[in-house]
Amino acid sequence: MPWSRIRPDTNEPEFMSAAVDGGLQGRRISYAEATNEALSQALSLDPRVFVMGQGVDDPSGMFGATKNLHMAYGRERVFDTPLAETALSGIAVGAALGGMRPVYFHNRPDFLLLAMDQLVNHAAKWFYMFGGAANVPLVFWACVGRGWGSAAQHSQALQGLFMHVPGLKLVMPSTCFDAKGLMLAAIADKNPVLIIDHRMNFKQRGIVPEEPYTVPIGKGVIRRKGTDCTVVAVSHLVTDAFIAAQELAGEGIEAEVIDPRTLRPLDEDLILESVSRTGRLVICDTGWKTGGVTAEISAMVAEKGFQHLKAPIARVTNPDLPTPAGYTLEQAYYIGKDDIRKAIVRTVRGQ
Amino acid sequence: MSLTKDAKRGMLRTMLRIRRVQERIESEYLKDEMKTPVHLYIGQEAIATGVCATLRKDDAINSNHRSHGHYLAKGGDLKAMMAELFCRTTGCSKGYGGSMHLVDVEHGNLGTSAIVGGGIPIGTGLGLAFQMQKLDRVSVVFFGDGAADEGTLYESLNFAMLKNLPVVYVMENNGWAVCSPTATRHCGDNVFHKGAQDRLFSAKIDGNDPEAVYETTLKAVERARRGEGPSFIECTTYRILGHAGCVSQDPKGYRDPAEIESWRERCPVCAYQSKLQAEGVVNASFLADVEAEIAAEIDVAFDFARQSPLPTAADLHKYLFCE
Ligand SMILES: Cc1ncc(C[n+]2csc(CCOP(=O)(O)OP(=O)(O)O)c2C)c(N)n1
Ligand SMILES: [Mg+2]
């Protein structure tokens, strides 16, 4: 699929969080390289870590994320699997219980639905169900597809489903820096962590330090400061929200952009503190609206920050429909910068 | 029942039609007008052709992401298929599905899933429905060696054997799942060649020989129609082109060019054409006519697709629920 023609590689915007990220010196590398470097460092630092998944040793190496790792670390630790997501997810759970640190690449969240039983009924329950007797330190990774007729079974952003599940940590990075730091944090975590990435993120290039580092799971970050409206956005929509906010600055609206980075546990304090200053909230997600990420964040703010709200909460999501294949339908389906912009204006100006 | 000359000519025609359609898609794909991932069937034509030649119009088929050949062999309309690849409202799925989601209810193709292994239980369920309604219809499920890695195959076959369902499982072992060879994913022969003989008719055949495919499938289909239960047919074949897209988009280095070459030499379409020529079943003028008809049909289908309207934003919310 000619992804390169869907969106060219672009440098990440200059988020104010660059300074928050420790002001670490780094090089500008691609999102895939950042993820790959995290895996490579984890494999070299911890002999328990291994990487599995369909096509992790392909020439394309999972959009570049796992490219050539099998050459450096051998096929025992970086291996291709049969197309058997249900059993192999359970096998990853077993390996984690047996003392290993599996990182299972699932290509697309759509295929995670075959892994749902092991992920939800088993991995997420194990520590609690046995009173803390045994834990499951594993990482599952999947990358949301988009465009070129990916259609209903190859483009689902299913974070809403997974956010619902106690016992599972859910991470959605949006920058190259976080892709590396959150991957290393997820691998170090003692619990099952699901990382949902996005093909649009893989078109980014950003500043990433060479040395290993972690980004804390459960901590969001402010990407842009503002006083009039809080915009919470996830995954590649962080960039869209940021650009929308920059544009609106010229029109007298200062929007604050928050990237939660982790959806579960959610950095509630960061969002609530921001809303307490701005009094307004727009939430943007790559998934559906009903019963999803935006619904949960709205409910949380309505419960805990109602007194600060000066306007109804606005949500920007794809319509509650399966993804259509045709490109004219895709154009109508997907939301982006302009939708976020409109929602901010409506929320701030009440029109 | 041995194949009549007409039946043989028909099979060759079907194979040529599938091949030429695939070639045309391949050669036009880089124009970026077909904005949908395509999985081409070149090298596997004998399987869809031989299998579907044994079926009635009201028998069902269920296939996978690589479905152009199955759709066409079962009687699917080329214009509707091409319009779907061009994402037009006149496409078989009206532009909502794309290349991986073809449908043709009239010919028993109730929709194609691109989740590997996803169609296997659905095809099994069609068999259950036919049995419960006491119909003598048969359900055929096409799937790859990759889908044979999935649990759904084992669960479905067990159920089909348990209930004696009229289902024929056709595994197209083309050597690869994306860039992973079958041998690195399967531990020897599929288990269904080994056990349960009394419950399952099982065979492993040359999937590049349309007559072998026809004859074996015919046995399976007749058994199923008589209420004697399911079959499992593994067809050995080869995916000549890349997993998806056109040739230049296939990553290099994951398979030996000599392997591809050796299978190109076993091209099922060329081999069958030579065989029928040697048998005197077809001659040069027949072949020229068939090629001309097919080329004309393809031109018409591409024109039809290009000239058909695109769906618009106003169509987005259609079809969420059936009223
Ligand atoms: C459940 C699931 N896992 C993974 C994929 C990605 N995928 C699409 S086609 C394919 C290979 C399928 O191989 P096979 O069944 O042998 O069919 P072939 O492509 O060879 O015709 C894979 C891994 C998918 N679509 N669904
Ligand atoms: Mg295959």
Side-chain angles (χ1 to χ4, degrees), chain A residues 81-143:
Chain A
T81 64
L83 286 68
E85 294 85 352
T86 307
L88 280 154
S89 298
I91 289 164
V93 173
L97 286 167
M100 300 301 288
R101 300 250 161 177
V103 185
Y104 188 178
F105 275 76
H106 274 276
N107 199 303
R108 293 174 197 253
D110 313 67
F111 313 151
L112 276 178
L113 293 174
L114 282 77
M116 204 75 170
D117 170 55
Q118 285 296 332
L119 207 50
V120 178
N121 281 333
H122 299 85
K125 303 293 189 287
W126 222 254
F127 190 65
Y128 188 87
M129 194 160 71
F130 302 113
N135 63 312
V136 182
L138 62 74
V139 179
F140 276 34
W141 182 97
C143 188

Side-chain angles (χ1 to χ4, degrees), chain B residues 129-195:
Chain B
F130 298 159
Q131 186 190 59
M132 293 176 86
Q133 295 167 85
K134 303 205 168 22
L135 300 170
D136 69 344
R137 292 165 68 184
V138 174
S139 170
V140 172
V141 195
F142 292 100
F143 54 95
D145 47 278
D149 300 6
E150 296 280 6
T152 49
L153 175 61
Y154 303 88
E155 297 174 27
S156 299
L157 259 161
N158 177 59
F159 186 76
M161 290 192 275
L162 191 69
K163 298 270 180 188
N164 236 19
L165 299 181
V167 184
V168 181
Y169 298 88
V170 179
M171 170 179 164
E172 300 185 50
N173 187 349
N174 64 6
W176 293 88
V178 195
C179 301
S180 306
T182 309
T184 65
R185 296 177 290 103
H186 290 195
C187 181
D189 252 358
N190 195 282
V191 296
F192 290 105
H193 295 310
K194 297 187 180 106

Side-chain angles (χ1 to χ4, degrees), chain A residues 266-269 271-272 295-305:
Chain A
L266 182 67
D267 192 344
E268 298 186 356
D269 292 344
I271 298 170
L272 289 167
E296 180 52 38
I297 296 175
S298 312
M300 185 278 290
V301 172
E303 261 177 3
K304 300 183 183 173

Side-chain angles (χ1 to χ4, degrees), chain A residues 1-3 5-6 53-61 75 80-88 107-114 147-154 156 319-334, chain B residues 29-38 84 86-88 94-98 100-101 112-116 146-147 149-152 177-181 184-186 244-245 249 251-254 310-318 320:
Chain A
M1 269 169 267
W3 286 97
R5 274 168 279 163
I6 291 174
Q54 282 161 41
V56 293
D57 60 352
D58 280 1
S60 51
R75 287 186 193 273
D80 188 23
T81 64
L83 286 68
E85 294 85 352
T86 307
L88 280 154
N107 199 303
R108 293 174 197 253
D110 313 67
F111 313 151
L112 276 178
L113 293 174
L114 282 77
W148 207 260
S150 292
Q153 296 179 329
H154 282 74
Q156 296 174 84
D320 280 343
L321 295 169
T323 317
Y327 49 100
T328 47
L329 294 172
E330 279 177 348
Q331 274 161 14
Y333 180 81
Y334 282 111
Chain B
Y29 194 59
L30 281 183
K31 290 184 183 168
D32 280 0
E33 290 173 289
M34 291 172 262
K35 297 189 202 314
T36 173
V38 291
E84 192 57 36
F86 279 81
C87 302
R88 307 295 159 137
K94 302 192 176 66
Y96 290 73
M100 300 190 289
H101 303 296
T112 310
S113 170
I115 296 297
V116 173
D149 300 6
E150 296 280 6
T152 49
V178 195
C179 301
S180 306
T184 65
R185 296 177 290 103
H186 290 195
Q249 293 168 329
K252 303 282 169 286
Y254 69 93
L310 286 158
T312 67
D315 298 314
L316 189 63
H317 288 261
K318 272 190 195 169
L320 183 59

